[in-house]
Amino acid sequence: MSTLYRSTTTEATEPGPDARAASPPGSPAVSPPVSPPASPQVSPAAERGRGDGRGFSAALRGGGRVAGLDGLRTVAVVLVIVYHVLPDPLPGGSVGVDVFFTISGFVITRLLVAEYARTGRIGLWSFYRRRWVRLVPALLVMCAVTAVLAVAFALPLFRGVWMAVALAAGSAVNLVRAGEPGAYSGLTAPFGHTWSLGVEEQFYLAWPLLLLVLLRRGRARAVLCCVAVLCVLPVIWRTVLWDPTAAHRIYNGPDTRADQLLVGALLALVLARLRADDPRLAVLRRWAGRLCWPALALLALIVRQIPITGASGWNPVWYTVGFLAAAVLSACVVAALELCPRSWLSRLLSSAVPAWVGRNLSYGMYLWHYPVLRLLSDLGVRGGRLLSAGLAVTLLAALASYALVERPLSRRSRLRARGPDPAVVAAA
């Protein structure tokens, strides 16, 4: 937030009116001697990081939005939609959600650490407000429209919709599903896809607080080590929990999926730690470019060959270390898009259409695709027609959500955060 202010140094050295009046005519005004201001008390952590972005100087570069990541979002959401229509050809299509988790952890942490590097603090209230404006209103509109349709039409989709609305609006669908050892009940069926939104929102509640504590209490290297350890803890916890009857608990739990978001967070912290002239950054850039295509190939192999959901996909290897492996592969792709903007993949994903869709419509598409597909299925649409019609209707619903809900609220939130124009205030 920009603020008009006078420099403290200028105010301390500028002569006052009495000093100027006391000077003889024709002689230059002389400033009275001014004692230097007392040095403010600075915490040891802030003193260690003074002048170098508090150990994360690269975050001060403010890299801005990465168009390639927006394009990757588009690929991930289309993959999830296709998987929900045609699960047999793409048994591992739900890995698109894993990619979303890693991107979210990376982007959110990059914003948080950049704010801390600039100011020495993290505006928690401002962060939570921005996240609420970005995620919740569009979700509530989707729930409200579905509830209205439930009153008008007696279709299977709308059975028990009122309880599902309450759980989805409260970001609790994943918690309910985590407690169901057998097949999922119809309690969350209309909005079953919002389980992943619950995981992300629960992460958003806890992670800024934990990150702020780590940044204030330790050096940058210690912060990196702590986050790396946190990435491993969910794997150990999943190993302890593993049992075929605990598959839903592992798949939906915010604690058991935290490593996928934390891997993205760790990547953001590493990049914020390395200066532009750091030779380790050049090594990381070179290896990110080399590993990107093998990582994409392995993710595609998972999508094509490895069932993840359903009783046939309850594999102990995947449900313990597999989630972390998917996050590491996703992080390789994210790092390549961040560090190698001129690569062929970056240029492809940064092209106008996928980047715009990922930036503006991917969230709305994920919100609307599941109820749209189920509604069309209840109306008798099947097979390839369901996929084409579902994509078309989902895209229209996402466009309406973006134009009528998301963009106006986001614009209003930015104007409110920016406050009144300082020039206008000064004139008044």
Side-chain angles (χ1 to χ4, degrees), residues 31-399:
S31 302
V34 179
S35 301
S39 300
Q41 295 297 321
V42 181
S43 65
E47 184 67 31
R48 284 196 303 268
R50 177 182 289 170
D52 65 348
R54 294 169 175 82
F56 294 96
S57 59
L60 298 174
R61 293 198 301 263
R65 196 173 190 106
V66 181
L69 292 182
D70 293 326
L72 185 60
R73 283 192 180 98
T74 301
V75 174
V77 73
V78 171
L79 177 62
V80 171
I81 295 173
V82 174
Y83 165 72
H84 281 151
V85 178
L86 303 171
D88 293 334
L90 303 175
S94 64
V95 79
V97 175
D98 304 56
V99 176
F100 267 120
F101 284 162
T102 305
I103 294 174
S104 297
F106 174 78
V107 172
I108 290 301
T109 304
R110 186 172 62 169
L111 294 173
L112 292 173
V113 76
E115 180 182 359
Y116 186 81
R118 289 193 309 269
T119 66
R121 59 185 293 274
I122 293 176
L124 295 175
W125 172 249
S126 176
F127 172 82
Y128 292 137
R129 180 180 56 80
R130 291 194 307 268
R131 287 295 89 200
W132 191 94
V133 170
R134 178 68 186 95
L135 300 174
V136 177
L139 171 65
L140 295 180
V141 168
M142 186 268 293
C143 291
V145 170
T146 308
V148 170
L149 292 175
V151 175
F153 303 99
L155 293 173
L157 166 65
F158 302 128
R159 292 173 187 164
V161 72
W162 299 105
M163 179 58 70
V165 164
L167 293 174
S171 301
V173 167
N174 67 309
L175 302 179
V176 173
R177 286 169 56 128
E180 297 178 336
Y184 290 134
S185 68
L187 194 62
T188 62
F191 304 125
H193 65 303
T194 61
W195 75 269
S196 63
L197 303 181
V199 171
E200 287 202 21
E201 291 176 17
Q202 289 146 21
F203 176 81
Y204 293 156
L205 284 175
W207 176 237
L209 291 168
L210 178 57
L211 179 62
L212 182 59
V213 171
L214 292 175
L215 291 171
R216 284 184 171 176
R217 295 299 179 90
R219 295 177 179 270
R221 186 175 300 176
V223 173
L224 291 175
C225 292
C226 288
V227 177
V229 171
L230 289 175
C231 290
V232 178
L233 291 182
V235 181
I236 300 173
W237 181 225
R238 287 195 297 263
T239 304
V240 172
L241 289 176
W242 168 249
D243 184 270
T245 60
H248 293 336
R249 167 69 180 87
I250 292 173
Y251 192 82
N252 294 276
D255 52 344
T256 50
R257 299 300 290 267
D259 53 334
Q260 297 193 307
L261 292 127
L262 288 169
V263 165
L266 179 61
L267 176 61
L269 290 168
V270 169
L271 295 181
R273 178 82 172 114
L274 301 179
R275 297 175 181 270
D277 58 350
D278 194 320
R280 292 173 296 180
L281 182 62
V283 173
L284 184 60
R285 179 180 291 109
R286 182 167 61 252
W287 278 101
R290 290 176 179 176
L291 295 176
C292 177
W293 288 108
L296 275 177
L298 288 174
L299 287 172
L301 185 64
I302 292 170
V303 170
R304 188 68 183 86
Q305 298 292 336
I306 300 180
I308 296 174
T309 59
S312 62
W314 293 347
N315 185 302
V317 176
W318 183 262
Y319 274 69
T320 52
V321 300
F323 290 134
L324 179 60
V328 171
L329 294 174
S330 302
C332 290
V333 179
V334 171
L337 295 174
E338 169 76 18
L339 296 174
C340 309
R342 297 183 179 179
S343 66
W344 186 83
L345 179 64
S346 293
R347 291 199 301 268
L348 176 64
L349 293 177
S350 301
S351 55
V353 174
W356 189 87
V357 171
R359 181 168 58 254
N360 300 309
L361 301 185
S362 59
Y363 178 59
M365 290 175 68
Y366 187 84
L367 274 182
W368 285 96
H369 84 277
Y370 196 72
V372 163
L373 291 175
R374 290 200 53 173
L375 178 60
L376 292 175
S377 180
D378 290 347
L379 294 175
V381 183
R382 296 287 187 272
R385 292 178 55 199
L386 177 59
L387 179 58
S388 57
L391 280 171
V393 177
T394 296
L395 192 58
L396 290 174
L399 281 167

